[in-house]
Each structure stands twice: as C-alpha cells, then as structure tokens.
Amino acid sequence: MNEYEALYAEICDQTEAGSLCWKQIPRHANSEIILNVEEVLRQYEATFHRHGQAYKLLLLDKRHKEIDFLFRKFELREPELHVIHEGELLTSLNQLHIDPSRLGALLGVVEPQSNLTRGLLGKPQASAATRQA
C-alpha cells in the first residue's frame, strides 16, 4: 500500500466510524482551487486531523463528459478527493492514485451521512456524544 492509498484508507475508516463529519456545501465553493468547477454536481467538506494538523477534505462528485452510445447520451461521473491546508491544495486523490470505483464507494458512504441528506431523509444528526458511545 503506497502513501496515497494509506491516506485514503484512513479517511475511509474515519468516515465509516463517524469521526469525520461531512457536510454538503455549495457546488461552486472553493472555485479558486477546483479545476473545471462548472462540472461539480455536489461538493462535500470535512475536517481531517492527522499528525497534529487539521486539513480540509473536499469530496467532489463531478460530471466529466457525455458519451453517445446507440443514440443515447450517457454522463460519465468521477469523484475527486482533495486535501487542503491553510487554503492551499496539498494533494488530490483521484483516478491517478485511487481506483475510481473506490472513490465512488466513499461518495456512497458520505452522501447519506451529510448534513443536507440526513435532513431530507429525516434521520436525526448524531451528537458528538452519540458518536463516541
């Protein structure tokens, strides 16, 4: 496992354990950092602590292109995960480092846990005490 995969695994573990709290933010937020911000469908943010530092994670659900197949258009979507520190992009965990299906799986875990989706589905937000119990 390389260092990108180890970082990704730690993010996934904390997300599944509930210690990372993801919130959906406006899709055009962070436009000074994100390439092709017009392709962002949804954007999630969490604060990630590692080695005594706090990092901002951005998980993007992006529409990359459409393809025509048998007279139908299909949209290709690829998630991206970016690590920001003090307003600077440190690294991006995308298809160059992590299999896109694994990034898609993280998106599938984050979406129902996010602040807006929990409100829509009627699930109460867990308090910090509940998550630690």
Side-chain angles (χ1 to χ4, degrees):
M1 178 181 301
N2 67 37
E3 50 275 333
Y4 292 100
E5 291 169 337
L7 174 61
Y8 177 76
E10 188 174 339
I11 291 167
C12 288
D13 289 346
Q14 288 187 24
T15 297
E16 290 172 1
S19 58
L20 268 182
C21 297
W22 292 91
K23 63 180 181 176
Q24 188 169 351
I25 60 175
R27 62 190 189 101
H28 288 101
N30 302 297
S31 60
E32 70 282 359
I33 295 173
I34 299 169
L35 292 176
N36 303 318
V37 72
E38 69 280 355
E39 295 177 351
V40 175
L41 298 172
R42 293 179 295 177
Q43 185 176 172
Y44 300 95
E45 177 182 88
T47 301
F48 175 68
H49 296 276
R50 190 176 206 214
H51 307 303
Q53 296 287 326
Y55 300 94
K56 179 165 72 169
L57 300 178
L58 298 177
L59 180 60
L60 310 178
D61 182 7
K62 288 181 84 173
R63 174 186 329 124
H64 279 280
K65 58 185 169 183
E66 290 183 346
I67 58 170
D68 288 323
F69 182 73
L70 298 175
F71 305 106
R72 294 182 70 191
K73 288 190 181 270
F74 292 92
E75 183 178 271
L76 295 180
R77 295 166 56 179
E78 290 185 12
E80 297 176 1
L81 181 60
H82 302 285
V83 181
I84 315 292
H85 183 62
E86 296 180 356
E88 297 294 327
L89 176 64
L90 294 183
T91 192
S92 296
L93 301 175
N94 53 29
Q95 66 273 11
L96 298 175
H97 304 290
I98 306 295
D99 184 295
S101 65
R102 291 178 62 204
L103 287 169
L106 177 60
L107 189 60
V109 172
V110 166
E111 182 200 2
Q113 290 182 358
S114 74
N115 56 331
L116 297 178
T117 305
R118 275 196 311 257
L120 172 68
L121 300 177
K123 295 180 183 176
Q125 292 186 354
S127 68
T130 304
R131 283 193 300 273
Q132 293 175 357

